[in-house]
């Protein structure tokens, strides 16, 4: 119904002038907009223009292209995900309509706006990836302005006086690498809520002597030359100073206690030493000869990369709301035992902590523990409580590039791998897995034995004839060996399924895709396993529809899988992407009803393994009831029937 109403509205606008688009009130069709701009046929009838610039050829514009569009209120030239310039101005633009309320012009090609332009009625002003160096000279009445976005305007040198923008709420200046100073008027606006200055590498100082009333988010991520910072707000909730050179913080930065997220990764110049240690740097921050006491009772997210992480249980209790803790580059060999007193901690992650050797017992609230690039990490000292959480699959592990982990820790991770696989059972049986996808990564160099289809050369083809009249749900696990890749920044696994429906006289092919989350580089081979319910359900539904449409009962379906490991490195203009050579991949079909008995056998070993861990043993107990082998559940008939040996490669890793 929505599409029908929209089409009716478009038709009404076309009726305004069938032959001359320039006389219509609104233009949205790329061909119509291109014609009006190219031949300069716009009129005062036009009130709104929207153009997807990726759909047109390069077009030089007249300096007076908008001169006859005096009533234009909405101008949107967008080019999402691209920095290509499609609209050019051989001469500087001479005119923009003063009636404009929304001005969005991605890749704006000029150095400034026309000197005659009055922005009094402007509400939203967006020029991402523009060539602009300055907007205008002097002061303008900007009483209606709510938003400014000049993200990735690399040539922007300065902003004008915005003291008249009394209702301005959001300012986005991300990656404006030439911006050296922020006009002080911006920090006098008491309705300003969001200020993003990430990657403004030329910025050296941000100072405001008067506390702001409404500012709740301030981000200066990777402003590497920023040394002076003194901005406060009674409503500040999110503050990001990661990657800056700030050495002192204002004393009153969180006095009202509303700060929820404070990021200081790589803020290595900040002196945070205190006599009693400083858990997560927030208990006391050293500023010259004074200590700043922060009210952190409401803090839920902490991104911390400081050198020390030691505290007493008393100091730990200050962080009663902390749920997420990220630690980058710590020099510690072991975390303090008092971390177990963070009773609301749900997510704990270590990155590039080269000296970290052991992890102590953790709070029972923890749901996810991730360690990336911790080459010295050897031992997970988990109590019976934490081991029980593993057995109940209430905690998830991800240890990437941690090759020194001992056998005890590997067995605990192995149990967790099985738990992650068990998670997918509701998806297969009910098609309603909460996240739609299960991803498991662990150290290894071969596809597990329980994958009946394994190869070193794609594709893998599976006959689906036996699934044609199956009343129960089925799906596929796919697996690939992610090779050692220390020189790249990230990898992503993609699985393509080509469903081929073969009739007597013709064939039809449909393609479906599953794409993993992005993962950091790997310093050794890892096993990647995924079950994607959305991906599987698309294949099932298409096959069911094909069966319903098959009058001659001659359908012969099959599905072929190709799996790639994509990689990437570099940022923006220097980005490099490609695909790694595949070592081995595999596909394992699943069938819901008999799959449950298979999972129960897996769970039996899962329980016995974690029971052994609870008792402090590195191997299974003598009285452990162990099935001799696992049989992967076959479909009632057809080519999916395979007898599979045990899960030794997962249990032993």
């Amino acid at each position: 119904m929505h599409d029908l109403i929209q089409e009716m509205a478009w038709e009404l606008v076309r009726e305004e002038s069938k032959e001359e688009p320039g006389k219509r009130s609104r233009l949205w069709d790329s061909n119509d907009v291109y014609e009006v701009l190219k031949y300069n046929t716009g009129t005062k009838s036009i009130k709104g223009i929207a153009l997807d610039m990726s759909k047109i050829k390069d077009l030089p514009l007249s300096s007076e292209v908008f001169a006859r569009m005096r009533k234009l209120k909405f101008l949107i030239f967008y080019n999402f995900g691209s920095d290509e310039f499609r609209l050019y101005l051989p001469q500087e633009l001479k005119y923009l309509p003063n009636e404009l309320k929304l001005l969005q012009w991605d890749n704006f090609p000029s150095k400034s706006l026309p000197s005659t332009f009055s922005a009094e009625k402007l509400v939203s002003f967006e020029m991402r990836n523009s060539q602009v160096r300055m907007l205008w000279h002097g002061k303008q009445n900007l009483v209606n302005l709510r938003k400014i976005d000049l993200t990735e305007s690399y040539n922007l040198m300065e902003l004008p006086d915005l003291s008249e923008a009394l209702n301005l709420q959001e300012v986005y200046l991300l990656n404006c690498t030439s911006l050296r100073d922020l006009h002080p008027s911006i920090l006098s606006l008491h309705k300003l809520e969001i200020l993003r200055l990430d990657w403004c590498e030329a910025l050296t100082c941000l100072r405001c002597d008067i506390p702001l009333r409404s500012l709740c988010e301030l981000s200066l991520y990777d402003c590497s030359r920023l040394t002076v910072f003194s901005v406060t707000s009674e409503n500040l909730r999110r503050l990001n100073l990661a990657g800056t050179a700030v050495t002192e913080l204002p004393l009153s930065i969180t006095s009202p206690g509303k700060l929820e997220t404070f990021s200081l990764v790589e803020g290595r110049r900040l002196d945070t030493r205190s006599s009693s240690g400083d858990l997560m740097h927030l208990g006391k921050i050293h500023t010259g000869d004074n200590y700043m006491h922060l009210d952190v009772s409401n803090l839920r997210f902490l991104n911390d990369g400081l050198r020390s992480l030691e505290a007493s249980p008393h100091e730990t209790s200050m962080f009663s709301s902390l749920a997420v803790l990220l630690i980058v580059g710590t020099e510690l060999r072991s975390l303090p035992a008092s971390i177990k007193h963070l009773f609301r901690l749900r997510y704990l992650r270590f990155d590039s902590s080269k000296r970290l050797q052991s992890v102590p017992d953790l709070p029972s609230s923890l749901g996810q523990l991730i360690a990336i690039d911790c080459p010295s990490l050897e031992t997970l000292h988990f109590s019976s409580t934490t081991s029980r959480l593993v057995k109940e699959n209430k905690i998830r592990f991800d240890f990437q590039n941690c090759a020194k982990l001992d056998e005890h820790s590997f067995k605990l991770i192995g149990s967790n791998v099985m738990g992650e696989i068990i998670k997918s059972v509701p998806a297969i049986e009910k098609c309603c897995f909460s996240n739609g996808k299960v991803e498991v990564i662990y150290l290894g160099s071969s596809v597990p034995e329980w994958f009946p289809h394994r190869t070193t050369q794609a594709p893998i083809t599976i006959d689906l004839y036996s699934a044609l009249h199956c009343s129960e749900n089925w799906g596929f696990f796919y697996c690939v060996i992610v090779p050692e890749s220390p020189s790249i920044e990230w990898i992503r696994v993609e699985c393509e399924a080509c469903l081929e429906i073969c009739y007597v006289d013709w064939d039809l092919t449909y393609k479906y895709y599953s794409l993993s989350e992005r993962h950091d580089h790997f310093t050794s081979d890892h096993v990647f396993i995924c079950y994607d319910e959305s991906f599987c359900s698309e294949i099932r539904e298409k096959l069911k529809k094909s069966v319903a449409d098959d009058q001659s009962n001659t359908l012969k379906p099959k599905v072929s899988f190709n799996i790639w490991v994509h990689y990437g490195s570099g940022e923006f203009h220097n980005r490099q992407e490609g695909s790694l050579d595949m070592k081995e991949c595999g596909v394992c079909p699943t069938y819901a009803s008999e799959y449950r008995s298979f999972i129960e056998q897996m769970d039996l070993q899962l329980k016995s393994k974690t029971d052994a861990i609870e008792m402090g043993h590195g191997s299974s107990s003598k009285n452990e009831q162990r099935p001799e082998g696992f049989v992967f559940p076959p479909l009632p008939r057809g080519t999916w029937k395979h007898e599979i040996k045990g899960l030794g490669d997962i249990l032993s890793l």
Side-chain angles (χ1 to χ4, degrees), residues 294-398:
L294 300 180
D295 181 349
V296 294
S297 59
N298 289 317
L299 195 71
R300 297 197 298 271
F301 181 102
L302 178 60
N303 198 342
D304 170 30
L306 303 181
R307 297 179 181 179
S308 61
L309 187 60
E310 298 176 353
S312 66
H314 172 71
E315 287 178 318
T316 308
S317 65
M318 297 169 58
F319 305 93
S320 57
S321 299
L322 193 65
V324 177
L325 174 59
L326 310 181
I327 299 174
V328 178
T330 180
E331 297 295 321
L332 291 176
R333 297 180 185 274
S334 179
L335 298 185
S338 57
I339 197 172
K340 67 183 179 182
H341 297 289
L342 298 175
F343 297 117
R344 295 188 181 181
L345 190 65
R346 293 286 304 152
Y347 181 98
L348 177 60
R349 174 167 175 159
F350 308 96
D351 277 12
S352 303
S353 299
K354 305 298 183 183
R355 296 188 179 183
L356 186 66
Q357 295 179 353
S358 63
V359 175
D361 194 23
L362 299 170
S364 59
S365 59
L366 193 69
Q368 193 163 355
L369 173 62
I370 297 177
I372 307 294
D373 291 329
C374 299
S376 301
L377 185 60
E378 298 178 357
T379 307
L380 309 177
H381 294 291
F382 287 169
S383 68
S384 59
T385 301
T386 306
S387 297
R388 190 174 299 110
L389 293 174
V390 175
K391 179 168 62 177
E392 297 171 358
N393 198 37
K394 292 183 178 179
I395 180 172
R396 179 189 171 192
F397 296 148
D398 187 351

Side-chain angles (χ1 to χ4, degrees), residues 73 485 494:
K73 299 179 184 294
S485 52
E494 179 183 12

Side-chain angles (χ1 to χ4, degrees), residues 384-454:
S384 59
T385 301
T386 306
S387 297
R388 190 174 299 110
L389 293 174
V390 175
K391 179 168 62 177
E392 297 171 358
N393 198 37
K394 292 183 178 179
I395 180 172
R396 179 189 171 192
F397 296 148
D398 187 351
F399 291 88
Q400 183 176 315
N401 301 331
C402 302
K404 284 191 176 182
L405 284 170
D406 57 23
E407 182 180 359
H408 169 87
S409 302
F410 268 127
K411 289 182 182 296
L412 195 61
I413 297 171
S415 296
N416 187 250
V417 169
M418 294 177 64
E420 287 295 304
I421 293 172
I422 291 173
K423 271 185 180 180
S424 61
V425 175
I428 301 169
E429 293 182 334
K430 302 176 183 178
C431 302
C432 60
F433 180 59
S434 58
N435 294 323
K437 185 183 296 184
V438 176
E439 292 185 9
V440 176
I441 301 175
Y442 62 92
L443 282 167
S445 56
S446 61
V447 173
E449 293 180 3
W450 53 274
F451 275 78
H453 304 278
R454 301 190 296 271

